[in-house]
Amino acid sequence: MAIIIAVDPSGNHNSEKEGMGTTGIAVYNRGKITLHEIKASDYANAVTYWEAIAQFIRKAEYLVVEGYKLYNHAGISAQTQTNSTLMTSQLIGAMKLEAYRYGIPIFIQYA
């Protein structure tokens, strides 16, 4: 049976002045599902936070990631992201690179 890791990413880290994110991770391994939270507040900077997430990715046979799109529709303004460094998008890029390095197929799913 395959090891599937699913990630709901939040790249935000206070060192980037964009708050403190929590990334949710579900691991499916041999018919068992375990859930994990990785909190940015537990790490000194964004890179060490992302490395903690990468440690899960390296164990995957398949990686599923919730994608991030900047929408501009009724009730939500894209202007709220003005001057943002879009840390979640950066984290997704780092996860794509990690998956590529380890030969792990990655599937991006959007809400």
Side-chain angles (χ1 to χ4, degrees):
M1 261 187 212
I3 298 171
I4 302 168
I5 299 198
V7 182
D8 180 1
S10 175
N12 294 339
H13 191 276
N14 195 42
S15 65
E16 299 295 325
K17 311 290 188 267
E18 292 192 22
M20 299 301 274
T22 299
T23 291
I25 296 177
V27 178
Y28 176 85
N29 186 358
R30 294 172 181 55
K32 182 179 176 189
I33 298 172
T34 56
L35 304 176
H36 307 269
E37 285 186 342
I38 300 178
K39 297 180 180 188
S41 59
D42 292 340
Y43 299 90
N45 57 54
V47 174
T48 56
Y49 170 50
W50 295 356
E51 174 57 26
I53 297 164
Q55 289 177 17
F56 277 92
I57 291 170
R58 293 179 197 127
K59 298 173 186 173
E61 292 176 43
Y62 298 94
L63 179 62
V64 180
V65 177
E66 181 181 356
Y68 178 84
K69 287 185 182 180
L70 182 57
Y71 294 104
N72 188 20
H73 54 77
I76 300 173
S77 173
Q79 287 186 316
T80 61
Q81 292 287 324
T82 300
N83 296 319
S84 170
T85 58
L86 298 171
M87 295 297 290
T88 299
S89 294
Q90 291 183 49
L91 171 57
I92 292 169
M95 288 190 290
K96 285 180 173 182
L97 179 60
E98 197 72 11
Y100 171 78
R101 284 181 175 160
Y102 285 83
I104 300 164
I106 183 170
F107 303 88
I108 307 293
Q109 296 184 332
Y110 294 91

